[in-house]
Amino acid sequence: MKYLLDTADLAAIRRFCDIFPVAGVTSNPSIVNKEGKTDFFAHMNEIRSIIGPGKPLHIQVTALDTEGMMRDADTLLTKVDKEVYVKVPVTMEGIRAIKRLKAQGVHVTGTAIYSSQQGFLAMEAGADCIAPYFNRMENMGLDPDGIIAALAEMIRLYHYPTEILAASFKNAGQVDRAFLAGAQTATMDPSILEGVLTQPHITNAVA
Ligand code: G3P
């Protein structure tokens, strides 16, 4: 199991990377917006310097069309570094961008996944990671456990090199379920990790 932080909060990344076995950092445009006015690339480079060169840093494109996504990816790889995992939503335009980026040897994460079929297509297009949105699926009455299990089973059966990077969690129980369903990796707000170890019953037992 690998735990990633789904945040662009520099102080939180510093603090939680020091405490927890953090495998990397993810963000999306909404998460970056939360940080307020900031130099985006300086900010991403600061995250890189905190986590170090060996850990995956996933950054999302903002363009909606393939050509724009390719330009966004190029800018990320130039202004941050070549090891960035470029997050691309698995849409019609996105799947074409995933194929093109993989042909160039770029690390790619297919994101905004709400169905097994969407994940299968991203795997077949070459995505290194696929990000099913656990809580959002649950809110829609979908079965995130079953969808992640289906993705994991296809990876196992056909030996895809793809890693399931489950995302969109509101509590630690959902993270447990994603891991149990077969996600190798989960990305979450640091408050979820902190909550696991700061429950009053733990503190009381220790006292
Ligand atoms: O990175 C995508 C994921 O973080 C979405 O999470 O909380 O907006 O459903 P949320």
Side-chain angles (χ1 to χ4, degrees):
M1 293 164 296
K2 283 189 273 181
Y3 295 84
L4 280 83
L5 301 178
D6 201 18
T7 182
D9 178 337
L10 298 176
I13 294 170
R14 269 191 207 95
R15 173 163 177 248
F16 287 91
C17 280
D18 184 41
I19 298 172
F20 287 97
V22 172
V25 169
T26 58
S27 62
N28 60 33
S30 324
I31 285 174
V32 171
N33 276 342
K34 274 198 221 155
E35 297 311 302
K37 212 166 161 51
T38 174
D39 175 336
F40 176 78
F41 294 105
H43 200 98
M44 291 298 136
N45 277 302
E46 185 60 23
I47 295 177
R48 168 61 80 207
S49 75
I50 298 169
I51 66 175
K55 292 188 176 170
L57 173 59
H58 302 250
I59 310 175
Q60 190 160 334
V61 297
T62 55
L64 300 177
D65 64 298
T66 308
E67 299 309 328
M69 290 171 177
M70 296 302 290
R71 281 194 297 276
D72 283 356
D74 189 53
T75 309
L76 288 172
L77 298 169
T78 306
K79 295 197 170 181
V80 184
D81 61 51
K82 301 282 182 222
E83 297 309 312
V84 163
Y85 280 69
V86 179
K87 280 179 72 183
V88 178
V90 184
T91 58
M92 293 284 276
E93 295 293 317
I95 203 90
R96 179 160 54 195
I98 291 173
K99 282 200 311 179
R100 289 192 189 168
L101 289 168
K102 284 315 299 173
Q104 297 175 6
V106 174
H107 300 310
V108 182
T109 298
T111 193
I113 292 177
Y114 290 84
S115 72
S116 46
Q117 201 43 249
Q118 214 187 346
F120 298 157
L121 284 168
M123 283 156 58
E124 185 58 17
D128 300 281
C129 302
I130 48 176
Y133 280 6
F134 199 102
N135 185 64
R136 291 189 192 200
M137 285 196 269
E138 195 148 76
N139 284 345
M140 291 165 67
L142 299 172
D143 170 19
D145 311 69
I147 289 167
I148 291 173
L151 295 169
E153 181 62 0
M154 285 303 184
I155 288 170
R156 190 188 68 77
L157 272 178
Y158 295 106
H159 310 290
Y160 279 93
T162 316
E163 191 167 271
I164 301 171
L165 168 59
S168 175
F169 293 107
K170 288 292 165 274
N171 57 64
Q174 291 178 332
V175 178
D176 286 355
R177 285 163 55 198
F179 281 140
L180 286 166
Q184 301 94 330
T185 303
T187 186
M188 66 209 76
D189 188 89
S191 60
I192 292 183
L193 280 178
E194 184 171 31
V196 171
L197 300 187
T198 55
Q199 296 298 322
H201 55 267
I202 303 174
T203 321
N204 290 344
V206 173

